[in-house]
Amino acid sequence: MPRSSPGSARSSTDGTKRRTHVSWISAMLSSDTLTSIWGNTARLVITPLTDRCYITLTQSLHLTMSGAPAGPAGTGKTETTKDLGRALGIMVYVFNCSEQMDYKSIGNIYKGLSQSGAWGCFDEFNRISIEVLSVVAVQVKCIQDAIRDRLTRFIFQGEEISLIPTVGIFITMNPGYAGRTE
């Protein structure tokens, strides 16, 4: 039987027509549905500022530290952090901070991030009260020390937990607003 070109129909033994698999795959490749299934998602436009932010955040992670983009509201601090995680294939969870957050709730979030290796972006971190921030700083240092020491398990808030060293903790701040911790 002669080969048919992609997209053509050919007869089967019972006389009915059938499409080749190549034409079906070609049709799917041209659809928006398949590219979203495969993960071809939109990306941020790379400007000199986003490029500098990516470099700074990756250097910070290399040094076993965290990142803290700061600037006016709506300038893309959170989106830049999320896009960097997407580019590196790491899940990024965004948490909107408020005055009601205490060290226990933030500690539980840190536990989950440490055990999953995901990144956490704590948006408007300076809304948290200063008393809570002092305890949170100790919690972050505990995680960073465990990463630096290349531990696979460590004690966090009195409990032994596993550690996946890709964990990243980022905070964003909108300085200058009334009622916020500077």
Side-chain angles (χ1 to χ4, degrees):
M1 176 188 247
R3 293 191 93 123
S4 59
S5 62
S8 68
R10 61 182 172 167
S11 295
S12 65
T13 55
D14 64 355
T16 60
K17 301 263 182 180
R18 62 180 177 163
R19 288 224 174 259
T20 63
H21 291 290
V22 175
S23 64
W24 180 76
I25 292 171
S26 297
M28 284 197 67
L29 286 175
S30 64
S31 72
D32 292 348
T33 307
L34 188 63
T35 54
S36 65
I37 291 170
W38 280 354
N40 188 10
T41 59
R43 296 284 316 275
L44 287 180
V45 175
I46 304 299
T47 65
L49 184 58
T50 56
D51 192 41
R52 189 171 22 174
C53 191
Y54 287 169
I55 291 168
T56 304
L57 291 175
T58 52
Q59 286 176 336
S60 173
L61 289 169
H62 178 71
L63 296 172
T64 319
M65 300 175 91
S66 300
T75 55
K77 301 174 295 292
T78 302
E79 291 303 317
T80 301
T81 303
K82 286 170 43 182
D83 193 61
L84 178 61
R86 185 181 302 123
L88 297 174
I90 296 175
M91 185 68 194
V92 180
Y93 294 99
V94 178
F95 302 94
N96 294 312
C97 298
S98 69
E99 299 83 10
Q100 286 79 31
M101 293 182 87
D102 63 355
Y103 75 93
K104 289 181 183 179
S105 63
I106 297 173
N108 286 332
I109 293 170
Y110 288 163
K111 268 189 207 178
L113 293 173
S114 297
Q115 294 177 48
S116 68
W119 288 1
C121 182
F122 295 83
D123 205 17
E124 300 190 21
F125 196 70
N126 49 338
R127 284 187 174 184
I128 299 172
S129 69
I130 193 74
E131 296 82 15
V132 173
L133 290 177
S134 64
V135 177
V136 167
V138 174
Q139 292 173 334
V140 172
K141 183 170 181 346
C142 179
I143 295 168
Q144 290 173 339
D145 288 346
I147 295 168
R148 194 172 292 116
D149 294 342
R150 300 177 193 269
L151 300 177
T152 56
R153 299 190 67 75
F154 72 110
I155 304 295
F156 185 78
Q157 290 184 328
E159 183 181 341
E160 185 177 332
I161 62 171
S162 61
L163 174 68
I164 298 177
T166 56
V167 61
I169 298 170
F170 301 90
I171 63 171
T172 65
M173 297 180 283
N174 298 334
Y177 289 113
R180 301 227 176 140
T181 307
E182 294 296 329

